[in-house]
Amino acid sequence: MTVITRFAPSPTGMLHIGGARTALFNALIARRHGGKFLLRIEDTDRARSTPEATAAILEAMDWLGLTPDEAPVYQSQKMDRHIACAHSMVETGQAFRCYATPEDLQARRDAGEAKRSALKNADLSDADRTRLQAEADALLAPFRSPWRDGGTPPAPNAPYTIRLKAPDQGMIQLDDKVQGQITLQAEEIDDLILLRADGTPTYMLAVVVDDHDMGVTLVLRGDDHLRNTFRQIPIYQAMNWPLPDFGHIPLIHGQDGAKLSKRHGALSTLAYRDLGYLPEGLSAYLLRLGWSHGDQEIFTMDEAKALFSVEAINKAPARLDLAKLDDINGHFIRAAQPDRLFKLVMPFIEKLTPVDDPVLRSRLEAALPGLTDRGETLPQLAEAARFLWDANAHALTKNARKALKGEKLETLGKLQRALDAENDWTIETLQNLLDSFCAQHGLTIGQVGPPLRAAVSGGLPAPDLAPVLAWLGRDEVLARIATHLPGHSPAGS
Ligand code: GLU
């Protein structure tokens, strides 16, 4: 049997990272088993669904490489089919016309609440208390319609809903692929509405019909849907359809253990892109958020495809840990192909300086691979490269100021002459030049390095000096050194 999974977001807002994780897990299962990963846009709530939200969801999935294997299914386009299924359940006696109005249901709830309040009266006899309790429980229990076994309409044209005749008694069993065996008393399920009084299908019906029609074999979703699953199982049974497997993933919590909310940081998947995370960094982080394989921390998606299993999804909620996300993202920044990284970081550099200068572009191209351990996100990396275009980027640190005085400044003057005489400006020759300069003057790199570093980068703890000199180029290095040597008049004075 081909494994078919699906992701079924409602386009009422952004794709948050919890949803992205659900999509990722579903995609990985399908890929692991050579199956199919499908996308269904659950846009039946016309008032709250927007095309912008749909576009943002598709964009976020695309960014994460979670492109579904078939064109997305739009739930709103399947309405006729949902309605037909509801009618077929009426024909087989699994569903019925219910004439209870919303007002009737409200009156029932109010009566239940009134009885529950009456229980607070301390003067009640034990017998009255038992009776009242039973009455309150019955009124507040999941609704079982008085029309479930037929009966005449209250008026000839009385409006009605179509409700499912929920299982009478016994247990509803769920062998949840993540949570294990779960059971629920059938009485806890109401005669749920399949078609509203205006004839439109409910979400509960639409999900079941669509999952069946799409051939979904595993429904893997957040555990906020667990209760829905118990309401959906009877719909499958009423339609005489085989049940798919179900798995419910614990929701993501914040560091403080509370359910994830805006105050825990950015929730939208695309916000992470805009904050300078790489898609493979966020994916690898989301993967570990609720799934593990031994003590391996970092996975490429190819590795994950070979290893992922529903059974290894954790039963306990995972906590969002942004420091770990940075850490994992840093790993993928270091692993990225230089030309790809260049393209990714450019928009962040462009926020700091115009990037149309070809000299700067070639400096950046040369330097980036050497700077990757200077930033865990793209904006950090952009900032680490600042010295390439801004001589005063790292406004002289205290140590840098110290390194540009007295003997050290004299050393810098000598070094400048040596550099000035060097015409072959490559990392290798510059490294040799620095080494022989030290040897010739009886100095260590610990004495020569600080003034040079201070002069060319303001003291930035940049990578090795020879590459920094090579990236900046001869003219720029000599000019930067010159500004610190005696006799130089600061620009503008
Ligand atoms: N549309 C539902 C949601 O966004 C998901 C339904 C499902 O996965 O079955 O929460």
Side-chain angles (χ1 to χ4, degrees):
M1 187 176 70
T2 314
V3 172
I4 300 182
T5 60
R6 54 43 156 206
F7 176 53
S10 305
T12 52
M14 67 203 175
L15 175 63
H16 59 80
I17 53 168
R21 185 187 60 162
T22 301
L24 173 68
F25 285 9
N26 275 291
L28 287 173
I29 292 164
R31 309 224 159 118
R32 163 102 199 255
H33 296 283
K36 269 197 257 177
F37 166 60
L38 305 180
L39 172 65
R40 181 171 69 240
I41 302 291
E42 302 211 312
D43 56 349
T44 43
D45 184 343
R46 303 310 270 171
R48 294 175 59 227
S49 302
T50 65
E52 293 75 23
T54 300
I57 290 169
L58 295 175
E59 186 181 348
M61 289 181 66
D62 199 45
W63 178 63
L64 287 174
L66 298 175
T67 314
D69 295 317
E70 286 177 9
V73 169
Y74 289 85
Q75 192 159 60
S76 59
Q77 291 171 9
K78 305 282 174 190
M79 208 153 120
D80 291 347
R81 165 81 177 141
H82 305 148
I83 295 170
C85 288
H87 289 308
S88 80
M89 283 183 266
V90 176
E91 271 159 38
T92 57
Q94 305 285 351
F96 60 92
R97 291 179 178 190
C98 172
Y99 297 93
T101 62
E103 294 73 30
D104 294 340
L105 295 172
Q106 189 59 46
R108 176 178 179 266
R109 272 193 298 273
D110 292 346
E113 293 297 348
K115 292 202 191 264
R116 190 165 274 175
S117 305
L119 279 167
K120 292 192 190 120
N121 180 349
D123 299 336
L124 284 175
S125 69
D126 283 354
D128 282 347
R129 181 175 301 280
T130 314
R131 180 184 48 79
L132 259 181
Q133 180 74 60
E135 286 170 1
D137 287 352
L139 286 164
L140 295 171
F143 180 62
R144 295 297 174 106
S145 166
W147 281 276
R148 65 199 317 262
D149 295 312
T152 41
N157 285 323
Y160 58 86
T161 56
I162 302 283
R163 285 184 187 266
L164 181 79
K165 201 167 162 187
D168 276 326
Q169 60 212 168
M171 295 289 209
I172 304 177
Q173 299 264 0
L174 175 65
D175 179 14
D176 192 286
K177 294 291 166 231
V178 178
Q179 315 276 343
Q181 287 288 343
I182 312 175
T183 52
L184 193 79
Q185 293 281 356
E187 291 88 60
E188 291 195 38
I189 299 298
D190 56 343
D191 286 345
L192 58 95
I193 297 182
L194 300 171
L195 295 185
R196 299 183 190 89
D198 65 3
T200 57
T202 56
Y203 160 76
M204 215 56 72
L205 171 64
V207 170
V208 172
V209 173
D210 292 345
D211 279 337
H212 172 264
D213 288 358
M214 290 162 75
V216 172
T217 59
L218 168 68
V219 172
L220 183 69
R221 56 189 170 196
D223 70 4
D224 49 335
H225 285 282
L226 186 57
R227 205 174 166 82
N228 286 344
T229 299
F230 280 101
R231 301 178 80 204
Q232 289 166 9
I233 288 173
I235 304 180
Y236 283 95
Q237 290 165 339
M239 289 301 295
N240 213 4
W241 286 339
L243 283 178
D245 284 336
F246 289 96
H248 293 87
I249 315 167
L251 298 185
I252 302 173
H253 287 202
Q255 274 292 1
D256 54 2
K259 237 177 86 177
L260 202 58
S261 71
K262 276 211 179 98
R263 73 192 158 83
H264 292 109
L267 294 185
S268 138
T269 304
L270 290 177
Y272 286 88
R273 177 193 64 186
D274 300 341
L275 286 167
Y277 292 91
L278 304 191
E280 64 270 37
L282 184 63
S283 299
Y285 175 68
L286 291 177
L287 176 70
R288 285 287 290 107
L289 204 53
W291 177 81
S292 51
H293 180 77
D295 50 13
Q296 188 172 339
E297 282 293 347
I298 295 178
F299 297 82
T300 64
M301 286 305 112
D302 280 339
E303 284 173 309
K305 260 180 240 170
L307 295 170
F308 193 83
S309 74
V310 187
E311 290 72 26
I313 296 176
N314 302 336
K315 286 195 183 70
R319 290 189 184 200
L320 190 70
D321 178 350
L322 295 175
K324 195 160 157 195
L325 168 62
D326 283 5
D327 197 45
I328 292 181
N329 198 64
H331 168 90
F332 284 99
I333 283 195
R334 293 187 292 279
Q337 288 294 326
D339 47 351
R340 172 167 172 251
L341 190 62
F342 179 77
K343 284 199 197 96
L344 288 171
V345 79
M346 274 324 236
F348 293 91
I349 291 185
E350 206 167 0
K351 288 185 192 167
L352 308 175
T353 189
V355 290
D356 36 19
D357 172 12
V359 175
L360 174 57
R361 289 183 82 90
S362 62
R363 266 184 215 166
L364 281 166
E365 242 157 0
L368 261 190
L371 291 175
T372 52
D373 55 359
R374 303 275 147 184
E376 292 180 320
T377 62
L378 295 170
Q380 286 171 8
L381 198 57
E383 196 53 54
R386 191 188 273 273
F387 72 97
L388 292 174
W389 64 85
D390 181 355
N392 301 313
H394 302 279
L396 289 183
T397 60
K398 206 166 144 212
N399 282 341
R401 278 199 304 273
K402 266 201 233 152
L404 288 166
K405 286 194 179 132
E407 258 177 45
K408 290 198 170 132
L409 195 57
E410 277 170 38
T411 305
L412 186 62
K414 290 180 198 149
L415 186 57
Q416 189 207 32
R417 286 192 288 281
L419 288 167
D420 197 11
E422 178 61 70
N423 286 319
D424 183 22
W425 202 262
T426 64
I427 296 181
E428 210 187 355
T429 51
L430 289 163
Q431 187 59 57
N432 290 339
L433 182 151
L434 289 174
D435 292 343
S436 54
F437 180 86
C438 289
Q440 196 186 337
H441 294 85
L443 296 167
T444 63
I445 191 71
Q447 291 167 302
V448 175
L452 179 59
R453 190 182 291 284
V456 295
S457 74
L460 169 86
D464 290 344
L465 277 163
V468 171
L469 302 180
W471 302 332
L472 286 172
R474 191 167 181 277
D475 294 350
E476 182 71 16
V477 167
L478 294 175
R480 286 190 187 187
I481 293 176
T483 61
H484 296 283
L485 294 177
H488 171 79
S489 50
S493 67

